[in-house]
Amino acid sequence: MKKHQITIVDIARQLNISKSTVSRALTGHPRVSEKTKEAVLKLAGELDYQRNMLAINLMSSQSHTIGIIVPEFVTSFFPMVIMGAQEVASKAGYNVLISQSNESYETEVANAKVMLDNRVDGVLVSLTRETRNYDHLNVFQRKGIPIVFFNRVCDDMQVPKVVVDDYEGAFKAVEHLILTGRKRIAHLGGPTSLHVSKKRLEGYKDALRKYSQPIDQELILDYDLNLDKVKIYIKHLLDLPQPPDALFTINDPTAFEAMLFMKAKGIKIPEQIAVVGFSNNYGSTLIEPRLTTVAQPTHEIGQVAAQLLLDQINSDASEWKPIYRVLKTELLVRGSS
Amino acid sequence: MKKHQITIVDIARQLNISKSTVSRALTGHPRVSEKTKEAVLKLAGELDYQRNMLAINLMSSQSHTIGIIVPEFVTSFFPMVIMGAQEVASKAGYNVLISQSNESYETEVANAKVMLDNRVDGVLVSLTRETRNYDHLNVFQRKGIPIVFFNRVCDDMQVPKVVVDDYEGAFKAVEHLILTGRKRIAHLGGPTSLHVSKKRLEGYKDALRKYSQPIDQELILDYDLNLDKVKIYIKHLLDLPQPPDALFTINDPTAFEAMLFMKAKGIKIPEQIAVVGFSNNYGSTLIEPRLTTVAQPTHEIGQVAAQLLLDQINSDASEWKPIYRVLKTELLVRGSS
DNA sequence: CTGTTAGCGCTTTCAA
DNA sequence: TTGAAAGCGCTAACAG
C-alpha cells in the first residue's frame, strides 16, 4: 500500500539541482536566485507536489497540532468554543485534534495519552465532571507542553485559565429573580467538585444576602449533571411544604428538563415558578416560555483560550504565566421569568 | 524551545543494548528474551518514555489520522455522527482531524489542503451546500487516499457513501400527514443541488401521488438553508389564497423556525397546520408542540462511514468498491402533527 | 535472541 | 547562490 508521493528529491532530480535548493525555493528562503525559484515552483505545481508535514513535524519535533479535550459536544456550548479556538489555531497554521471524554475520567486519561503520543504542541482542556486526579494533565507540564483550561478548570494547577464570571452571572440571575418579586428561589446546582458549580452557588447566595433573603438549605440541591435525574430533584422541590417560586439551574439543559417536567405537571411558568438557566444553549429560544439565561461568550472563550495557548507555545516555558482570564456574561431576560 | 524527550536511544544506552532490541521490546515483538523485555519496560516506565508518533508516522508514511470535513457542527446532527466515527476510528488506533467548512466552498477547499498536507490516511466528507466543483476532493482519489461521503454526498464521484433513505423517510412523513387527513401539504426543501434535497422532494411527491393528491407547485419551495429566510417562505405560504394545512420541511432547524414564526402569528399547530421535520435534532422535544420528525441513526452513520473508510485504508486501492450504504430512518410522531 | 545498517522526507548547518 | 552531509526518532531488513 505504498503511496505514490512526489518529493523534493523528485523535483531536484528533474531540475538537476540539489534538494536543499529546492527546499529553500519552496519555503521562500531569501538566498535563492529568481530563476531557480521560478523553475522549482513551476515544476512543483505541475507535479502537484505537496509538502509532507509528517517529515516537517519530525524534523521540528512539533506536530503543529493543538489538542482540545472536552467532556462532550452535543449541547451547543463546546462546539461553539471549539469553533472559536479552531479559528485562531488554523490562522496560525495549527491543526486541532478534538477528543471528547464523554464525562468519563478514564476516557480523559486515555485521550491525554493519545495527545501525548502525537506530540501535540499544546492542549486546551475542560474537565469531566468526575476528574479529581490530575496526574494525566501534569504530565504535559512536566514535558513542557503548555495547557490552558477553559470553562471546567482545575484549581490545583498553575496554568492559564479562561472562564466566565460565573459568580457575577449567577448573582445577576438571582438578583433579577428577587427584583421581580420572587421569595423562595431554589438552586439546582452542579457537582460541588466543579469550580463553576461553586462559583455559581456563591453568586446565588450572595444575591440572596444582598437583599436580605434567607438562605434556605432546603432549596439548594446539587447533582451530577445526569439529566435523567433532574425530574427527581424538581419533584422533591415541588413537594416541599413551602415549594419554591423560582428556580435557578446550573445550566440550560437542566433548566429544559425541569421545565418539561413542570409543564407536564401543569405548573405555569413563570407564573407559579420562574426559571433561569445558564449558558444560553441551543434550544433556549425553542422552549416555551423562552428561557431566561446567562449567556456566555462561547466563541470568544475559544478564541482567547487558543490565543493564550499559542502565546505559550511560542515562548519559553520560563516565561509562562498562569494568566486568569474572566470573560463577561450577559443576562438574557426572556419569558420564563 | 527544544523539548526534553526520552527516546529509545536513551533507554538503549542506559541498558547498554541496541536500540533495535529496545524497539522490539516496546512493540511487543516476539523474539525478545523475557528479561531484556522486562528491563526495557521497567526503565521506560521510570523514565516516562512516550513513543513519538511523529517518527512512526514518517517511517510508515501514515499519519494514523483520518480527516472529517463537515459543513458545521452546531446543530446536533454532525456532532453525533462524528462521535460515532471517532469511536470506530480510535478503536482502530486512528486520530480524527475535524474541520468544519462553515457551509463555505472556499473553506472546504482550504481544509482539504490541510488534510492533504498532513497526509491523512483517509477522509470522511459531507459537502457544503454550495459545493459544485469537486477538484479538491478528486485530489485525494488521485493520490490514493480513500474518501467516504456521508449525508451530503457527491453524485459525481465513485466512492463509498453512507446515507439514510431520504426518499423513504420523506415518503413516510408525508404519508403520515395524508393519513391524518391533511389535504394541502407544503414542502420547504433544501437547495436542489443537494442529493438529500432531491430525494426528500421525490419522496414527498411520490407519497402525494400514491394517495392521488395533486402536486401543487405553489406549495413546493426550495431554499438555501439560511435559516433567517425561513419566515419569508412561510409567510408566503400562509398568504396563499389556499394556504397549506401541513408543512414538511427539509430538516428540523427549518421546522423550528417555521413553528416559531407561525406561533408568533397565532397559528395553531397542529390544528391549523401540522409540521413534520427531518433528522430529530436536539430541540425537537423542547419546542411545543413537540416536533414530529424523521429520525436518522446519526451515531450509526458515523460508525458505518468510519468503518468503510478503515476498510479502504487497509486494502489495496484496486479493491476499493463504491459501496452505497443506505440506513433506515424512523418516523417519530409527536405533537406537531 | 540481538546487533548493524539504512532510510522515511525534510531542513539545517557548514563549506564551497 | 548552491551543494553535501548530517540528523529528527523510529522500524525493518539482514546478518550474526
Side-chain angles (χ1 to χ4, degrees):
Chain A
M1 280 189 326
K2 201 96 212 93
K3 251 164 233 150
H4 176 67
Q5 296 211 40
I6 303 292
T7 70
I8 282 190
V9 238
D10 294 325
I11 299 180
R13 250 199 291 271
Q14 292 204 31
L15 254 35
N16 205 28
I17 56 177
S18 76
K19 49 184 181 155
S20 26
T21 304
V22 176
S23 168
R24 284 190 271 256
L26 251 20
T27 51
H29 209 82
R31 280 186 282 272
V32 186
S33 76
E34 272 307 312
K35 53 188 77 165
T36 37
K37 187 176 199 164
E38 262 175 47
V40 168
L41 257 28
K42 180 159 169 290
L43 187 58
E46 285 168 9
L47 260 37
D48 201 9
Y49 166 80
Q50 202 116 24
R51 64 187 182 158
N52 189 339
M53 285 304 290
L54 265 37
I56 296 175
N57 289 346
L58 177 58
M59 266 292 317
S60 60
S61 351
Q62 279 192 259
S63 58
H64 300 281
T65 297
I66 68 171
I68 304 191
I69 300 182
V70 291
E72 51 93 9
F73 58 51
V74 255
T75 62
S76 58
F77 181 81
F78 288 108
M80 295 290 277
V81 174
I82 291 172
M83 280 178 63
Q86 217 158 28
E87 238 177 70
V88 173
S90 65
K91 208 163 283 172
Y94 282 82
N95 296 317
V96 168
L97 205 56
I98 302 166
S99 80
Q100 43 168 181
S101 49
N102 249 320
E103 294 285 11
S104 148
Y105 167 70
E106 304 276 313
T107 312
E108 189 178 273
V109 173
N111 288 157
K113 191 186 165 344
V114 171
M115 303 266 165
L116 239 24
D117 274 355
N118 285 282
R119 295 294 194 273
V120 291
D121 297 331
V123 272
L124 252 34
V125 2
S126 193
L127 299 169
T128 76
R129 62 187 178 213
E130 47 179 57
T131 305
R132 300 292 129 78
N133 180 311
Y134 309 108
D135 288 348
H136 58 300
L137 298 175
N138 278 311
V139 184
F140 288 96
Q141 288 284 287
R142 219 180 308 132
K143 304 229 179 210
I145 300 169
I147 296 190
V148 172
F149 283 103
F150 66 95
N151 181 256
R152 306 254 197 99
V153 305
C154 167
D155 288 332
D156 299 350
M157 290 175 68
Q158 295 303 311
V159 299
K161 293 162 196 168
V162 180
V163 296
V164 296
D165 198 333
D166 290 292
Y167 171 85
E168 195 208 15
F171 188 97
K172 285 188 294 192
V174 176
E175 181 174 49
H176 154 73
L177 288 170
I178 295 171
L179 295 178
T180 51
R182 304 295 169 168
K183 299 295 178 200
R184 284 181 64 71
I185 303 169
H187 176 50
L188 180 47
T192 48
S193 57
L194 290 181
H195 184 269
V196 297
S197 305
K198 282 182 266 185
K199 287 298 173 191
R200 291 176 196 173
L201 177 58
E202 273 178 38
Y204 162 87
K205 285 183 177 169
D206 278 3
L208 291 179
R209 285 194 192 102
K210 175 172 175 193
Y211 293 91
S212 316
Q213 284 209 6
I215 292 173
D216 188 344
Q217 287 301 336
E218 226 179 27
L219 296 179
I220 302 177
L221 262 29
D222 64 274
Y223 88 118
D224 61 8
L225 300 182
N226 177 349
L227 291 173
D228 293 335
K229 296 193 189 145
V230 172
K231 56 173 74 69
I232 301 175
Y233 293 106
I234 299 302
K235 184 170 187 331
H236 170 76
L237 287 172
L238 296 176
D239 287 346
L240 249 29
Q242 295 184 53
D245 59 2
L247 172 67
F248 170 52
T249 63
I250 183 72
N251 59 23
D252 281 4
T254 304
F256 297 154
E257 285 299 314
M259 286 172 74
L260 255 21
F261 178 77
M262 295 192 291
K263 292 204 296 181
K265 286 269 175 228
I267 292 168
K268 294 274 172 284
I269 302 169
E271 293 78 4
Q272 290 173 265
I273 288 203
V275 180
V276 178
F278 207 110
S279 291
N280 191 30
N281 279 20
Y282 185 83
S284 59
T285 56
L286 253 29
I287 201 160
E288 201 169 339
R290 290 158 26 113
L291 181 64
T292 294
T293 187
V294 180
Q296 300 199 44
T298 45
H299 200 255
E300 192 187 351
I301 293 174
Q303 290 177 313
V304 172
Q307 192 53 59
L308 249 29
L309 190 64
L310 290 177
D311 289 348
Q312 287 194 84
I313 291 175
N314 297 316
S315 67
D316 196 85
S318 60
E319 293 169 12
W320 295 354
K321 292 183 196 69
I323 295 169
Y324 192 73
R325 284 287 290 277
V326 180
L327 306 181
K328 284 288 163 212
T329 59
E330 185 189 359
L331 179 68
L332 265 25
V333 178
R334 298 198 278 233
S336 71
S337 70
Chain B
M1 282 191 324
K2 199 98 210 89
K3 252 166 230 147
H4 175 67
Q5 296 211 42
I6 303 292
T7 70
I8 282 191
V9 238
D10 294 323
I11 299 181
R13 250 201 290 271
Q14 291 203 31
L15 254 34
N16 205 28
I17 58 177
S18 76
K19 49 182 183 159
S20 28
T21 304
V22 176
S23 168
R24 284 192 271 256
L26 252 20
T27 52
H29 210 82
R31 281 186 281 272
V32 187
S33 77
E34 272 307 311
K35 52 189 78 167
T36 37
K37 188 177 199 165
E38 263 175 46
V40 168
L41 256 29
K42 182 159 166 289
L43 187 59
E46 286 168 9
L47 260 37
D48 202 9
Y49 166 80
Q50 202 115 24
R51 64 184 183 159
N52 189 339
M53 286 303 291
L54 266 36
I56 296 176
N57 289 345
L58 177 59
M59 267 290 319
S60 59
S61 348
Q62 279 192 261
S63 59
H64 300 280
T65 298
I66 68 171
I68 303 189
I69 301 182
V70 291
E72 51 93 7
F73 57 51
V74 256
T75 62
S76 59
F77 181 81
F78 288 108
M80 295 291 274
V81 174
I82 292 172
M83 278 178 65
Q86 217 159 28
E87 239 177 70
V88 173
S90 65
K91 209 162 281 173
Y94 283 81
N95 297 316
V96 168
L97 204 56
I98 303 166
S99 79
Q100 42 170 182
S101 48
N102 251 320
E103 294 285 11
S104 148
Y105 167 71
E106 303 276 316
T107 313
E108 189 177 272
V109 173
N111 287 158
K113 188 182 169 345
V114 172
M115 303 265 163
L116 238 24
D117 272 355
N118 285 281
R119 294 294 195 273
V120 290
D121 297 330
V123 272
L124 252 34
V125 2
S126 193
L127 300 169
T128 76
R129 62 187 178 214
E130 46 177 59
T131 305
R132 301 291 129 80
N133 180 312
Y134 308 108
D135 289 348
H136 58 301
L137 299 174
N138 278 311
V139 183
F140 288 95
Q141 289 284 287
R142 220 180 307 132
K143 304 229 178 211
I145 299 170
I147 297 191
V148 172
F149 283 104
F150 66 95
N151 181 255
R152 306 254 196 98
V153 305
C154 166
D155 287 331
D156 300 349
M157 290 175 68
Q158 295 303 310
V159 299
K161 293 163 197 168
V162 180
V163 296
V164 295
D165 197 332
D166 290 293
Y167 171 84
E168 195 209 14
F171 188 96
K172 285 189 294 191
V174 176
E175 181 173 49
H176 154 74
L177 288 169
I178 296 170
L179 295 179
T180 51
R182 305 294 168 169
K183 299 295 179 201
R184 284 181 64 72
I185 303 170
H187 177 49
L188 180 47
T192 47
S193 58
L194 290 181
H195 185 268
V196 297
S197 305
K198 283 182 262 183
K199 287 297 172 190
R200 291 177 196 174
L201 176 58
E202 273 178 38
Y204 162 85
K205 286 183 176 170
D206 277 4
L208 292 179
R209 285 194 194 101
K210 175 172 174 194
Y211 293 92
S212 316
Q213 285 209 7
I215 291 174
D216 187 343
Q217 287 301 337
E218 225 177 27
L219 296 178
I220 301 177
L221 261 30
D222 65 273
Y223 89 117
D224 62 8
L225 300 182
N226 177 348
L227 291 174
D228 293 336
K229 295 192 190 147
V230 172
K231 56 172 74 70
I232 301 175
Y233 292 107
I234 298 302
K235 184 168 186 329
H236 169 76
L237 287 172
L238 295 176
D239 287 348
L240 250 29
Q242 294 184 55
D245 59 2
L247 172 67
F248 170 52
T249 62
I250 184 71
N251 59 23
D252 282 5
T254 304
F256 297 154
E257 286 299 315
M259 287 173 73
L260 255 21
F261 179 76
M262 294 192 291
K263 292 203 297 181
K265 286 269 176 230
I267 292 168
K268 293 274 170 282
I269 303 169
E271 293 79 2
Q272 289 174 263
I273 287 203
V275 180
V276 179
F278 207 110
S279 291
N280 192 30
N281 278 22
Y282 185 83
S284 59
T285 56
L286 253 30
I287 202 160
E288 200 168 344
R290 293 161 22 117
L291 181 64
T292 293
T293 187
V294 181
Q296 299 199 43
T298 45
H299 200 253
E300 193 187 350
I301 294 173
Q303 290 177 314
V304 172
Q307 191 54 58
L308 249 30
L309 190 64
L310 290 177
D311 290 349
Q312 287 194 85
I313 291 175
N314 298 315
S315 67
D316 196 86
S318 60
E319 292 169 11
W320 294 354
K321 292 182 196 68
I323 295 170
Y324 193 72
R325 284 287 289 276
V326 180
L327 305 181
K328 285 287 161 209
T329 58
E330 184 189 1
L331 178 67
L332 265 25
V333 178
R334 296 198 279 233
S336 71
S337 70

